[in-house]
Structure formats: structure tokens, C-alpha cells
Amino acid sequence: MTVHILVIHNYYSSGQPSGENRVVAEEVALLRSAGHRVEVFERRSDDIAGRSLLGKVAVPLLVPWNPAVRKELAARLRAERPDVVHVHNVFPLLSPAVIAACTDVGVPVVTTLHNYYQVCPPGTLQRDGRLCTDCVGRKVPLPAVRHGCYRNSRLATVPLAVNLTVNRRRWWSDVERFLCISAAQRDVLVASGMPAEKLSVKHNFVPDPGVCREGEGEQLLFLGRLAEAKGIRVLMAAWDMVAAEGGVGVPLVIAGSGPLEPEVSAWAAGRDDVRYEGLLAPDEVRKAVARSVAVVAPSLAPETFGLVVAEAMAAGVPAVASGHGAFVELVADGETGLLHRPGERTSLASCLRRITAEPARNREMGDAARLRYERGFSPAVGLRRLEEEYRAAIAGRSEPSEPSEQMGDGINGGQ
């Protein structure tokens, strides 16, 4: 009753916490715990630092195409004969050559779209912390190069633009199933011209934290990257408005790291109503969430998912989030949390007051948030959706590779 799955992922640098790395690791563990045979074909961006100077210089050339990876992966596929390949991130060391290798051997491919790399060279749909769709629908994404959208560098953006231009057709024709992590993301990708029949929505799941909020909570919590796009400056401005009117009775706790860390640290210094706690360990994150009146997610650009909101729901904690992108799917306004107008400090300040003003109503929202988590974002739901998508990919391959011996009735006979 098991399925043989080869997961492909280029792990992002460990120096910067990655929700995507975490999602991949948790999915692999979930599938293995359900009895499926899962192996991983990987590269790690951390390894770039150990390369020679010439090797480092060559990395951008591998972004559009890495022929050595195609050869290595094809050989492994022929030797191991997985039933399906699940691709996550291929930047910068793997490249879309992994798709070619799967086509060479005839193994169906499922790809999770954690971002917008299919239509936007840096994958963010953002410029200067704001929504940008200048390259969506373009065959050649020249605006991204002109604006230097990746690392504020035109030169660094060129390989990504070339990658999108030359590999778009391969992705769209050779991948059986694209898994969008929100309906909002899917809508953007369908509008860009991606094949709608191959795009389905499979939200990320969140492991049960094992701890839920008890009582009313003791803080408001911002948990995430300290960057303009995450809305941290809007939050600081909104909090100053709240503080000027006497506060809300609980402090604001900010946890995370990023380019705005010095600014955030300086703003919080010497205040009784704000605590900056830096980057927290996973266990500390779970405890911090469970102690919160609400988690605040004021992103300026639409999020493709929003793990922090799902984590809050898992702990029975409502969220105050920007009313766009995936947050509109995760947060039922007035039921499991509150939505504010994106980028507007006055709207955010109003929501911060409301979420703390009525403890009984807040507890009701927290209970509803936990129920929403159980029905939509729990491991059981995540496993079922993965199995459904693997089934569809295997069935959709017109000339599939020989199934593994363990397959039997395979996934069709499961769940």
C-alpha cells in the first residue's frame, strides 16, 4: 500500500530560516510515518561557500541549466524507479534540468509552487516591498532585469530572467501536477497563462504544536522576517498610535531577524510596551504563540500562504492579518481573527484594539481558529491531499514507468 516517492529540493541557506525548508522536511517525515517510501535528491546552498572561487563564479550559469544534474538524476531514476517525483525548489544548484531527467526516464512529476518563480524571476511578486506584476504574462521578463529585482542587482537578476524565459515551456508541458499553496496564488498563476487543469490547491499543513493557549494570553506577537515586505514598519507605526492612546493592556513582542533588525531593536529599546526577542528556537516559538492574545501578520505584499497564521490557529490563537493574498483564505474576518486594510496603520491599530478589547470574544475566535486548523491544515488533511495529488499524477502519465513492487494497488488502494 506504499508509494515510492523521490523528493527533489535545493535547501536554502541555513543562515536564514526558511519556511520552505521546513515544509519539505515535515512533508517527508509525514509521508514516511504513513508508510510511504521516500527518498531525497538534494543540493544545499550552504555548500556554495565551500566552493573554489571559480566554482562560485559558475553558480549563476547553473541557474537556467545544470547538465550534470540531469545526468546524475536520470541515472538514479533508472536505478531506483520511483513511482512519482515531487519537486520543490531547484534554485540555484539543481535547475529545471531535473524536469528533463524525469521526462527522459518517464517518471511523473508533481511540483509544489512555494512562490511565484514561474511568472516572476525572483519569485516574490514584490518590488520595494510592494506588489509588482510587471513581468506576469511576459515571455521575456525584462522589467525584473531593469529594476534589479533580485538582490537589487541587474546582473544577479539576469540568470533568473533567462531561466524563466527558456524553461517556461518545459515546466508547463512536462509537469503533471502543480500544487499551489493557496487559491490566491493559483488565481495569479492561471491569469498569467499557466495551464489551469494542472494547477490545484494544496495548503501547507502544520504539525500539531502539542500546546494550546490557556486563558486570555499575555502578549501580541509578531513572528517573522524583519523586512519591509512583512509590514514591520506599518506595525511599529500602528503600535505607536495605540500607545499614544494608552495602549491595549498587553505588550507587543517581536521575534525574528532580517535587514530591519537594527531599526526594530532601536525602536523597542527602553520601552515597557514592546519587547524585541530576536530569533527564537522552534520550541520557544510554540510557547510564544500559545502565550499570545493574537499573532500579527501585517504583510504588505500578498502572501502565498502564511505559516505563522496557521501555527497560531493550531494553538487556538486568532490572528490579525493583512486582508489580501492567502490570509483571506486562512482568516475568517471576525470569526477566527481580524483582517486589516493592507499597509494602513490606522486600520491595523483599530484591529489591535479590537482583538484585545473583548477577552470572551477573543476566546471564541481562538476556539474557531483551532477548529479551522483541524479541518484544513492538520497533518491528516495534508497527508490525504498529498496522496490524492500523487494518485492524479501517476494516473495522468500516458506512458508511466513500471510501478514499484510495493505499489500493489498503490495509492489508488489507500485512503
Side-chain angles (χ1 to χ4, degrees):
M1 301 291 288
T2 62
V3 182
H4 184 182
I5 307 147
L6 180 65
V7 171
I8 295 179
H9 185 52
N10 189 130
Y11 287 86
Y12 294 97
S13 171
S14 59
Q16 182 173 307
S18 163
E20 188 172 329
N21 283 354
R22 203 183 101 194
V23 166
V24 173
E26 289 173 349
E27 282 194 357
V28 168
L30 178 69
L31 288 163
R32 285 174 174 165
S33 69
H36 299 298
R37 178 183 172 189
V38 185
E39 297 169 15
V40 180
F41 183 85
E42 67 181 48
R43 292 292 187 274
R44 294 182 178 270
S45 292
D46 285 344
D47 295 339
I48 296 174
R51 294 189 171 206
S52 66
L53 178 60
L54 184 60
K56 292 176 182 176
V57 171
V59 167
L61 302 178
L62 303 177
V63 170
W65 198 253
N66 189 331
V69 161
R70 179 180 186 176
K71 182 178 180 181
E72 178 186 350
L73 178 58
R76 182 166 173 180
L77 291 172
R78 291 189 179 99
E80 298 180 2
R81 308 302 294 185
D83 301 310
V84 65
V85 166
H86 190 157
V87 176
H88 289 273
N89 175 49
V90 301
F91 174 81
L93 298 174
L94 286 168
S95 85
V98 300
I99 305 300
C102 294
T103 302
D104 293 342
V105 182
V107 180
V109 179
V110 169
T111 297
T112 295
L113 300 176
H114 296 274
N115 44 52
Y116 292 100
Y117 275 132
Q118 293 289 324
V119 297
C120 168
T124 60
L125 282 190
Q126 298 175 22
R127 190 171 77 244
D128 300 326
R130 303 286 177 174
L131 176 66
C132 174
T133 58
D134 288 355
C135 292
V136 175
R138 289 176 176 263
K139 291 184 177 180
V140 182
L142 291 178
V145 177
R146 184 167 65 250
H147 294 293
C149 288
Y150 182 64
R151 295 186 174 178
N152 295 314
S153 167
R154 292 178 178 176
L155 184 61
T157 306
V158 167
L160 290 165
V162 171
N163 175 37
L164 194 156
T165 302
V166 303
N167 289 309
R168 181 186 287 111
R169 184 181 298 275
R170 182 182 302 279
W171 279 105
W172 296 7
S173 63
D174 291 355
V175 172
E176 292 292 332
R177 305 288 295 174
F178 289 102
L179 309 186
C180 302
I181 56 178
S182 67
Q185 180 194 32
R186 184 183 187 277
D187 289 344
V188 171
L189 296 174
V190 170
S192 76
M194 287 190 71
E197 69 279 5
K198 291 188 174 186
L199 291 162
S200 62
V201 176
K202 187 205 74 64
H203 293 117
N204 289 326
F205 76 89
V206 174
D208 193 311
V211 57
C212 283
R213 185 179 66 181
E214 298 179 359
E216 299 175 359
E218 60 189 49
Q219 63 193 23
L220 289 168
L221 176 66
F222 173 93
L223 181 67
R225 182 166 166 74
L226 304 183
E228 179 73 18
K230 295 299 183 181
I232 185 64
R233 282 180 171 148
V234 174
L235 175 57
M236 291 191 293
W239 191 255
D240 283 340
M241 293 178 65
V242 169
E245 297 176 1
V248 292
V250 294
L252 171 65
V253 173
I254 298 175
S257 63
L260 298 184
E261 185 171 350
E263 180 179 335
V264 172
S265 179
W267 175 76
R271 299 181 62 154
D272 294 330
D273 62 333
V274 180
R275 295 202 310 272
Y276 172 59
E277 298 192 349
L279 197 62
L280 299 179
D283 186 55
E284 294 173 323
V285 167
R286 288 188 288 271
K287 292 177 181 177
V289 171
R291 289 197 302 267
S292 298
V293 176
V295 164
V296 188
S299 298
L300 299 183
E303 297 281 357
T304 50
F305 184 67
L307 278 173
V308 66
V309 171
E311 289 171 341
M313 292 193 296
V317 174
V320 173
S322 298
H324 59 181
F327 289 154
V328 178
E329 297 169 47
L330 272 64
V331 180
D333 191 27
E335 297 180 15
T336 63
L338 298 175
L339 297 173
H340 69 89
R341 291 187 294 277
E344 295 189 17
R345 63 177 183 172
T346 301
S347 176
L348 176 55
S350 175
C351 287
L352 296 177
R353 296 187 197 98
R354 288 173 58 198
I355 204 73
T356 54
E358 301 180 41
R361 180 67 183 129
N362 183 285
R363 286 195 297 273
E364 291 176 359
M365 289 185 182
D367 291 341
R370 172 66 190 188
L371 183 60
R372 171 82 172 111
Y373 158 76
E374 292 172 352
R375 292 177 175 174
F377 310 107
S378 66
V381 174
L383 177 63
R384 183 174 69 248
R385 290 291 293 116
L386 280 170
E387 291 176 331
E388 289 170 352
E389 294 299 338
Y390 293 154
R391 181 188 304 125
I394 294 168
R397 173 67 66 173
S398 58
E399 296 181 4
S401 58
E402 293 180 6
S404 66
E405 292 180 2
Q406 292 100 333
M407 189 73 170
D409 290 335
I411 201 162
N412 296 294
Q415 307 298 308

